[in-house]
Amino acid sequence: MTDFTMDTGADGVAVITWDTQGKSMNVMNQQGFEDLDRLVGEALADEAVKGIVITSGKEGSFAGGMDLNIIARMKDAGGDDPAKSLFEGVMDMHGVLRRIERAGMDPKTNKDGKPIAAALPGTALGIGLEIPLACHRIFCADNPKAKIGLPEIMVGIFPGAGGTTRLVRKMGAMAASPLLLEGKMNDPKKAKAAGVIDEVVDDPLAAAKEWVLSEPKIVKPWDEKGYKMPGGAPYHPAGFMTFVGASAMVNGKTQGVYPAAKALLSAVYEGAQVPFDTALKIEARWFTNVLLNPSSSAMIRSLFINKEALEKGANRPDVPDQKVSKVGVLGAGMMGAGIALVSALAGIKVVLLDQKQEAADKGKSYTADYMDKGIARKKVTAEKKEAVLGLITTTTDYATLAECDLIVEAVFEDPGIKATVTKAVEEVVGEDCIFATNTSTLPISELAKASKRPEQFIGIHFFSPVDKMMLVEIIKGRETGPLAVAKALDFVRQIRKTPIVVNDERFFYANRCIIPYINEGIRMVKEGVEPALIENAAKLVGMPLGPLQLTDETSIDLGVKIAKATKAAMGDAYPNDEVDEVLFWMESEGRLGRKSSAGFYAYDEKGKRQGLWDGLEGRYPVKDNQPELVDVQHRLLFAQLLEAVRALEEGVLEDIREGDVGAILGWGFAPWSGGPFSWLDIIGTPYAAERCDQLTEQFGERFACPALLREMAEKGQSFYGRFGQEAKAAA
Ligand code: NAD
């Protein structure tokens, strides 16, 4: 059974339907390209066929994109010369799409071709839009939920099957920039207004058929003499402005660390100055260049292949389905309100419990406000809002939790309170109910002591804000059993987030790695490193927020609280007194971060962040001799990397894929690198170990090379070489 089938009606329209077997959305693979090419060829050769419509067999969508494993296969096929096989593979894809676009036309006269239209029932992403862009007209259903776009840049590549060249030629470089460089996706009406697609209609298949039978003009503007690019080519005065601006914008947004953005811009710039077929070759060369860049391979691996594998349950115990039907959320504060929202959005019934009815109701109003914002943006209907709100019951009465099959506790971070609520819940829920805590800092195994059923006790750690943050960290306590792990994973799947499963050690995984990053930044302030250098060094290496800004966002008093608790637990071994000196002083000055409109940064009356606070200098004078940028960057990065390696060494992490995906989604670890383990593989373990030794000598024992990294450096091993294959295959 192939993914593409063709049916030619009595009206002479050949309808090619794409329907990937076993998937809810179409995904392009190697065989798919061959089948599409063959069918288009047959239709063009068939005298009875007057026109062709390419559509999808899936309700509400045309296609979600390409199976990026194709790229790995193309690369592998090349053996010693992966560039050659990649380039040829990409040019083959171009060939298929170019044959659609030329549709049998005479190369000189542009005559005799057959019209080919795309009829999209909805979502068309990546190759799912590149194919329509090669057709002569694009019809899309009026489906406000559909997304139309080329989001490749988000996984570290760019549209390389002609989408870049065609979109720029269709819309102009300026108009195409947000779509290509930011991966911006639009609903069909906005996509039409932007000029990406041509028609939004009730019945795209019927409209497309009618159009192909209307003897339309089909030659693309760029295949006609005298074509001029909308907005001007690079050496046109308007075009000149566009390209200078785009180049600055790309560098501003990416800080120069994402190879795909630069390559994309080069493909557009160079391609704009030559005929279309040459531009396609240039696109293919730059695409190959990006695919061979270790950053792109690492991003594809972490953000596409491994992220998907984890979402599909790569590390799920082999037990029956544990889907949640009713969740009890304890504590309707910031986290509880968010957890109730994402659960109800996934169609799960929620009981939201707090100490006072007003508090519980306030938690529910978070969902109401969220839905109202959606209504204002026309993304949500009033009925949908009512349906979602209807799933949330607020209460102060534990008996209301009786039917819940999962409890997520998000009360105050206090072991005593958590123990009390655990016991109260177990009085009323069924034997099979799984109890999860959202604690950020308290050991799960300790909290589990309050439970009669520690094997059913687990950590489900959300990040704030719950509705935006895609990572959920699942923490196994010492006694947590497989049913609890499966329940947590099935819940995370229901709410469409990405899970990692880790073991129970101080700060679990994400916070364990991010705290040393923050501390290293603050430590440098104490040493007299220019705060702007610290912040910019972090951003120039791809961190979304500098450590000082991050401290302001998460609040200085929280930092103080964590520092005090950690010191109490570690005693003399506590290594962060220097950091605390700065933090505690900031707290004593009332500079608690964004929430008090005063922190490492200054804020205006409306709470908008201004520059770094100039009062810092009075207490921590800036040294005359400032360190090299790369040294500041390595301190900030190694502080995180080494924690990740230690987490693996100690068995907190069981799978490096989780370490990489969790780092990017959890705290924004330089996404261009593919995550800490991918980054170590890019620089190589021998260099990483050498750098640890230098940093230890200069800055102290916290940079000491972990034994695992030392051993790998000596053996010349990489993390994915050593641990990649062992990671369980994707489900
Ligand atoms: P919060 O103070 O906003 O909310 C806590 C809520 O729990 C309040 O509404 C309070 O009335 C309620 N509560 C307290 N005792 C209760 C009891 N005995 N019974 C019922 N309700 C009770 O706190 P938060 O920021 O939402 O954090 C909640 C939990 O989530 C904590 O364990 C925290 O460590 C964890 N967490 C917080 C974040 C974050 O960024 N804030 C992130 C991850 C995890």
Side-chain angles (χ1 to χ4, degrees):
M1 191 67 186
T2 68
D3 291 351
F4 286 87
T5 50
M6 185 162 71
D7 185 21
T8 303
D11 54 2
V13 180
V15 176
I16 297 178
T17 304
W18 186 2
D19 198 347
T20 308
Q21 304 302 303
K23 300 253 183 200
S24 58
M25 213 184 261
N26 289 324
V27 178
M28 186 55 102
N29 54 30
Q30 190 62 41
Q31 186 63 43
F33 272 117
E34 286 166 23
D35 292 343
L36 176 63
D37 196 29
R38 177 177 48 78
L39 293 177
V40 170
E42 280 172 24
L44 291 175
D46 183 348
E47 286 192 357
V49 171
K50 298 194 184 102
I52 303 168
V53 175
I54 303 177
T55 191
S56 150
K58 308 289 185 202
E59 202 179 313
S61 70
F62 180 65
M66 189 141 83
D67 175 357
L68 292 179
N69 289 302
I70 291 188
I71 291 169
R73 269 185 240 125
M74 278 187 200
K75 216 190 262 184
D76 293 346
D80 292 343
D81 197 356
K84 185 164 182 284
S85 60
L86 273 172
F87 179 73
E88 285 169 358
V90 174
M91 286 307 292
D92 285 347
M93 293 191 305
H94 282 319
V96 176
L97 269 59
R98 192 65 175 136
R99 281 190 283 282
I100 292 176
E101 186 161 57
R102 294 299 298 158
M105 277 180 263
D106 182 282
K108 290 218 172 75
T109 62
N110 280 335
K111 292 221 166 90
D112 298 335
K114 291 181 186 175
I116 306 184
L120 317 178
T123 293
L125 297 174
I127 188 72
L129 181 57
E130 292 185 289
I131 293 171
L133 283 169
C135 295
H136 304 123
R137 199 151 184 88
I138 308 173
F139 296 83
C140 185
D142 186 6
N143 174 352
K145 281 199 188 139
K147 288 183 185 156
I148 312 287
L150 296 167
E152 284 86 343
I153 200 82
M154 303 214 263
V155 290
I157 53 175
F158 68 83
T164 297
T165 302
R166 287 195 176 87
L167 198 68
V168 168
R169 284 224 175 6
K170 187 169 182 178
M171 305 172 65
M174 182 72 116
S177 309
L179 304 165
L180 293 170
L181 286 167
E182 295 166 31
K184 190 168 187 286
M185 296 179 269
N186 286 310
D187 64 30
K189 281 201 171 121
K190 287 211 184 94
K192 177 177 184 309
V196 181
I197 61 171
D198 304 303
E199 307 271 358
V200 178
V201 291
D202 288 336
D203 185 345
L205 182 58
K209 279 186 181 176
E210 195 180 321
W211 183 81
V212 297
L213 290 173
S214 68
E215 297 185 12
K217 180 168 182 268
I218 59 171
V219 62
K220 288 281 174 75
W222 46 87
D223 283 326
E224 286 190 301
K225 281 217 177 72
Y227 164 75
K228 288 213 167 49
M229 198 160 138
Y235 292 117
H236 181 276
F240 185 75
M241 296 302 288
T242 304
F243 281 91
V244 170
S247 183
M249 186 191 97
V250 167
N251 271 307
K253 289 212 167 166
T254 65
Q255 312 288 345
V257 290
Y258 291 89
K262 274 195 216 169
L264 164 68
L265 206 54
S266 301
V268 171
Y269 179 83
E270 293 167 19
Q273 304 174 55
V274 293
F276 187 79
D277 284 301
T278 315
L280 283 181
K281 260 192 217 156
I282 290 175
E283 185 193 291
R285 288 220 176 102
W286 278 113
F287 191 52
T288 305
N289 175 293
V290 163
L291 295 178
L292 288 171
N293 188 303
S295 159
S296 301
S297 322
M299 279 180 84
I300 292 175
R301 183 176 61 205
S302 291
L303 290 173
F304 181 78
I305 298 170
N306 291 345
K307 177 173 168 288
E308 200 174 275
L310 298 177
E311 285 162 2
K312 283 191 178 159
N315 292 328
R316 186 185 184 281
D318 190 12
V319 297
D321 187 19
Q322 296 293 311
K323 223 161 127 192
V324 177
S325 54
K326 191 168 185 182
V327 62
V329 180
L330 309 184
M334 187 166 91
M335 299 304 286
I339 297 165
L341 163 68
V342 296
S343 305
L345 282 176
I348 303 171
K349 283 187 232 139
V350 181
V351 178
L352 183 57
L353 180 145
D354 208 300
Q355 286 162 304
K356 297 228 168 75
Q357 187 61 37
E358 305 87 80
D361 291 341
K362 183 160 176 261
K364 182 171 172 177
S365 70
Y366 184 75
T367 296
D369 293 347
Y370 179 93
M371 300 307 279
D372 283 340
K373 279 185 207 139
I375 292 174
R377 286 190 293 124
K378 300 207 165 46
K379 295 273 173 210
V380 172
T381 59
E383 296 78 56
K384 175 80 183 168
K385 175 184 164 187
E386 286 318 309
V388 170
L389 284 175
L391 289 170
I392 306 177
T393 308
T394 56
T395 186
T396 57
D397 179 5
Y398 278 78
T400 321
L401 300 168
E403 310 264 287
C404 293
D405 50 335
L406 173 71
I407 300 290
V408 182
E409 169 276 299
V411 301
F412 295 140
E413 189 75 336
D414 178 306
I417 299 177
K418 290 196 190 283
T420 311
V421 300
T422 306
K423 291 196 173 97
V425 166
E426 289 185 358
E427 291 296 311
V428 294
V429 295
E431 294 265 298
D432 296 338
C433 180
I434 302 293
F435 190 101
T437 170
N438 182 47
T439 180
S440 307
T441 57
L442 303 168
I444 305 301
S445 310
E446 289 300 311
L447 295 177
K449 287 184 181 159
S451 168
K452 285 189 281 194
R453 299 184 280 262
E455 70 288 354
Q456 284 168 225
F457 195 99
I458 193 163
I460 301 186
H461 182 212
F462 284 88
F463 295 81
S464 171
V466 177
D467 46 283
K468 293 220 174 74
M469 297 296 287
M470 291 313 294
L471 186 74
V472 178
E473 199 173 21
I474 294 170
I475 305 114
K476 294 187 278 187
R478 268 193 298 278
E479 295 183 59
T480 304
L483 278 176
V485 176
K487 187 90 183 177
L489 281 167
D490 292 353
F491 175 54
V492 173
R493 189 179 194 167
Q494 281 173 277
I495 58 174
R496 286 189 281 275
K497 294 200 183 279
T498 309
I500 61 170
V501 182
V502 301
N503 284 305
D504 186 22
E505 275 298 331
R506 188 193 312 280
F507 302 136
F508 319 131
Y509 175 60
N511 286 341
R512 173 186 182 144
C513 297
I514 195 71
I515 291 171
Y517 168 68
I518 288 177
N519 284 350
E520 201 60 28
I522 298 176
R523 202 185 295 272
M524 284 193 248
V525 170
K526 173 92 174 24
E527 289 169 16
V529 177
E530 174 68 69
L533 174 58
I534 304 170
E535 294 291 89
N536 287 328
K539 288 196 198 141
L540 285 170
V541 81
M543 294 299 293
L545 301 184
L548 306 179
Q549 189 186 343
L550 185 57
T551 313
D552 272 10
E553 296 295 332
T554 50
S555 93
I556 287 181
D557 49 327
L558 178 67
V560 167
K561 217 169 134 196
I562 293 176
K564 284 184 178 159
T566 313
K567 188 166 179 166
M570 290 181 77
D572 289 345
Y574 184 70
N576 295 322
D577 287 328
E578 297 213 311
V579 176
D580 292 354
E581 205 276 331
V582 182
L583 262 187
F584 290 19
W585 176 71
M586 293 284 285
E587 191 193 35
S588 70
E589 293 286 302
R591 301 194 71 88
L592 305 184
R594 176 183 283 284
K595 69 180 183 191
S596 67
S597 290
F600 286 108
Y601 282 80
Y603 297 79
D604 68 13
E605 318 78 61
K606 290 188 186 136
K608 191 161 182 285
R609 190 166 46 83
Q610 308 292 303
L612 281 150
W613 176 46
D614 52 14
L616 210 52
E617 164 105 44
R619 175 124 176 153
Y620 303 108
V622 169
K623 283 189 301 196
D624 289 342
N625 274 342
Q626 289 294 305
E628 292 293 327
L629 175 70
V630 69
D631 285 336
V632 177
Q633 289 177 326
H634 279 185
R635 285 179 70 174
L636 293 172
L637 276 178
F638 273 77
Q640 305 168 67
L641 294 170
L642 296 184
E643 261 333 294
V645 174
R646 289 184 200 115
L648 179 68
E649 204 170 32
E650 291 167 18
V652 172
L653 274 179
E654 294 178 353
D655 181 341
I656 55 170
R657 297 178 299 177
E658 294 179 310
D660 274 352
V661 173
I664 299 176
L665 300 187
W667 75 94
F669 181 89
W672 65 267
S673 68
F677 296 103
S678 293
W679 197 76
L680 285 164
D681 280 355
I682 290 174
I683 62 169
T685 50
Y687 174 70
E690 192 186 315
R691 225 25 212 127
C692 285
D693 295 341
Q694 292 162 353
L695 291 168
T696 308
E697 203 183 304
Q698 278 181 285
F699 304 108
E701 278 305 305
R702 63 189 179 283
F703 292 106
C705 185
L708 173 66
L709 180 57
R710 176 82 66 208
E711 182 204 321
M712 292 177 68
E714 278 161 9
K715 294 183 180 159
Q717 289 174 333
S718 69
F719 281 92
Y720 277 86
R722 175 161 165 174
F723 298 105
Q725 283 93 338
E726 284 165 23
K728 286 171 224 149

